[in-house]
Amino acid sequence: AFLDFSSHAEQSAGRYGLDFARMRRDSGALYKKLHGGLTNALLRERGSQAVLRLFLAYPGYLDMLRLKSLMAADLIAAFRKALPADKELMPNAFPPPLAQLSGMDFARLAPYSSAFSVKLYTMHWPMMLRFWAEQLVKANPGLDQRLLVGALEHWLELSGMPGERRVAEVRYPEPDEPHPVSDAAMRDKIVAAQAAAGEVPVIALAHGYGSLADFRRRVKVAYDAAGRRVWVNRYGYLSNAKLGAMGDACN
């Protein structure tokens, strides 16, 4: 979320006419706000206005997100130019809104891409929440942990599950446990990516980890949300029963 300020990035910022000094200053100020200036009052705001207001207070950070997307587009365009014409280029991406933090602008990359693969590796989602929450609790010791976890779940759209949780309750699911992610949370990410990608198809990337019943649920949601397109990663976690469930879900 706060990278990168290398000399290479500075050169790119100059090429695009972006104020690199302001980007560095505002990104540092936003980092300090998150690491010591968070309040329970801010965490109680679950609408998009809270995040928007935070970003607008630090416009240089928005420039940094724009720079990332421009640099990523340059990179993908160079890959497309280097590839033979009969080879497809299908970039992998984090799902929205995490995609924006990494510089993955589906619309900007669409002219160079045959398709996009969007990761629904949902056993990782609680760990993303856990890692972020642990650092923010450490930097803001007075925060209500349940408010913090709830805000992160809402702002990053990483759960969709009811109830409140403390940081220690957010953990990696065991192989026989369902992933703590709602159907709507998975579906909305694929729909958002497809809306941004326009005519370029989005393929959901499901994962073989987890129980049979939950695997069937997640593959079905991914397949339907992506317009009957899904890749399944990590065959080492699959079984004949899971292969059968894939066939049922995608029939």
Side-chain angles (χ1 to χ4, degrees):
F2 291 95
L3 297 173
D4 133 35
F5 291 99
S6 67
S7 59
H8 302 288
E10 186 171 12
Q11 291 173 16
S12 294
R15 191 165 65 250
Y16 297 126
L18 296 173
D19 187 338
F20 196 73
R22 187 177 80 155
M23 287 168 49
R24 193 199 309 269
R25 182 179 65 249
D26 282 6
S27 296
L30 176 57
Y31 186 90
K32 288 180 181 179
K33 171 71 174 179
L34 296 174
H35 293 77
L38 280 182
T39 64
N40 289 331
L42 176 63
L43 299 178
R44 288 190 181 95
E45 296 185 54
R46 297 299 168 82
S48 59
Q49 287 297 315
V51 176
L52 181 61
R53 190 165 59 252
L54 198 60
F55 280 2
L56 289 177
Y58 306 97
Y61 183 74
L62 293 175
D63 287 343
M64 192 188 78
L65 295 181
R66 184 180 175 211
L67 176 62
K68 285 187 183 185
S69 70
L70 291 167
M71 293 172 68
D74 283 350
L75 183 67
I76 296 300
F79 286 166
R80 180 64 273 174
K81 184 177 179 180
L83 283 171
D86 63 343
K87 302 299 181 186
E88 292 188 329
L89 179 59
M90 299 166 59
N92 286 7
F94 286 117
L98 295 170
Q100 282 77 4
L101 295 180
S102 71
M104 189 70 177
D105 184 331
F106 295 99
R108 199 181 296 276
L109 271 57
Y112 316 111
S113 307
S114 302
F116 295 105
S117 296
V118 174
K119 301 175 184 179
L120 295 181
Y121 297 169
T122 47
M123 70 286 186
H124 293 164
W125 291 9
M127 298 315 297
M128 292 177 180
L129 286 169
R130 175 74 174 261
F131 293 154
W132 282 44
E134 284 180 339
Q135 292 300 313
L136 294 176
V137 165
K138 183 179 178 181
N140 301 274
L143 289 181
D144 182 318
Q145 290 195 18
R146 290 185 174 87
L147 283 177
L148 175 63
V149 171
L152 288 175
E153 285 183 311
H154 178 79
W155 292 340
L156 302 176
E157 301 166 17
L158 280 179
S159 169
M161 303 297 286
E164 295 183 332
R165 283 163 283 279
R166 294 177 60 83
V167 175
E169 298 171 67
V170 181
R171 59 178 180 79
Y172 199 92
E174 296 295 333
D176 60 343
E177 292 179 318
H179 296 186
V181 177
S182 71
D183 291 2
M186 290 185 284
R187 184 183 306 113
D188 289 351
K189 289 185 178 299
I190 298 300
V191 170
Q194 186 63 75
E199 298 299 318
V200 177
V202 167
I203 303 173
L205 274 173
H207 202 288
Y209 180 77
S211 66
L212 174 60
D214 194 57
F215 172 77
R216 179 187 291 111
R217 172 183 78 96
R218 290 182 286 108
V219 168
K220 175 67 173 171
V221 171
Y223 182 70
D224 290 345
R228 300 174 63 84
R229 295 181 290 261
V230 66
W231 291 103
V232 177
N233 192 26
R234 293 299 171 89
Y235 267 60
Y237 288 109
L238 296 186
S239 62
N240 287 339
K242 284 185 177 179
L243 291 172
M246 271 175 53
D248 293 340
C250 303
N251 186 358

